[in-house]
Amino acid sequence: MTARQSPERKVHLAVLGFLRSVLFGNPVIHHSPNEFGMAGAAVARQIAKHKHLGMAVGFPDLVAFTFHGPLFFEVKAKGNYATPEQKFVHAELSRLGYRVAVVKSIEDVRAKLAEWGIPTKETEQQGEVFP
């Protein structure tokens, strides 16, 4: 019997694959694992350990390091929303001048990249010109 993937995992993998396929320059894309497949005291110990080592609760799921600076993406399944901790970290990153988005689909990512003026292999094929 195989374990079923969560809806958020499916979106996460789709967004990751999309970013890898459309961003120029072979960007480094990093996933920040802030969730643990444990319960009870074991998870409490892991969280404490990772916080001690610098884990920021609420940090976005994916960071794409590009020639246009880092792009932060919080990936959510449809119907799910950012937690208060995530909203706080996103606001702080935005305040520092970084681009942060909560995305629930490839279309959301595509729209954010366009809003941010990030050229992609898709937009180049469509003949769009970026400054």
Side-chain angles (χ1 to χ4, degrees), residues 17-36:
F18 178 72
L19 289 170
R20 286 180 172 160
S21 71
V22 301
L23 292 174
F24 287 107
N26 196 24
V28 172
I29 302 174
H30 174 73
H31 164 65
S32 293
N34 283 339
E35 297 175 4
F36 304 93

Side-chain angles (χ1 to χ4, degrees), residues 15-130:
V15 166
L16 177 61
F18 178 72
L19 289 170
R20 286 180 172 160
S21 71
V22 301
L23 292 174
F24 287 107
N26 196 24
V28 172
I29 302 174
H30 174 73
H31 164 65
S32 293
N34 283 339
E35 297 175 4
F36 304 93
M38 305 172 195
V43 74
R45 282 191 302 275
Q46 282 295 342
I47 290 171
K49 175 184 171 183
H50 288 283
K51 281 183 180 179
H52 179 73
L53 293 173
M55 180 185 83
V57 175
F59 196 82
D61 296 310
L62 294 171
V63 183
F65 294 94
T66 73
F67 290 116
H68 303 278
L71 310 173
F72 295 88
F73 296 95
E74 181 66 46
V75 180
K76 293 293 182 188
K78 293 197 185 306
N80 290 350
Y81 301 93
T83 65
E85 294 85 0
Q86 290 167 334
K87 289 177 182 178
F88 175 79
V89 170
H90 300 173
E92 288 299 296
L93 288 168
S94 294
R95 184 181 65 78
L96 292 168
Y98 296 110
R99 291 168 280 209
V100 184
V102 176
V103 297
K104 297 182 180 190
S105 67
I106 288 172
E107 285 304 315
D108 287 352
V109 176
R110 189 178 280 125
K112 275 298 171 183
L113 293 173
E115 177 186 320
W116 293 337
I118 306 297
T120 68
K121 294 173 186 172
E122 285 184 336
T123 55
E124 181 182 79
Q125 292 170 355
Q126 296 168 0
E128 293 185 29
V129 179
F130 289 88

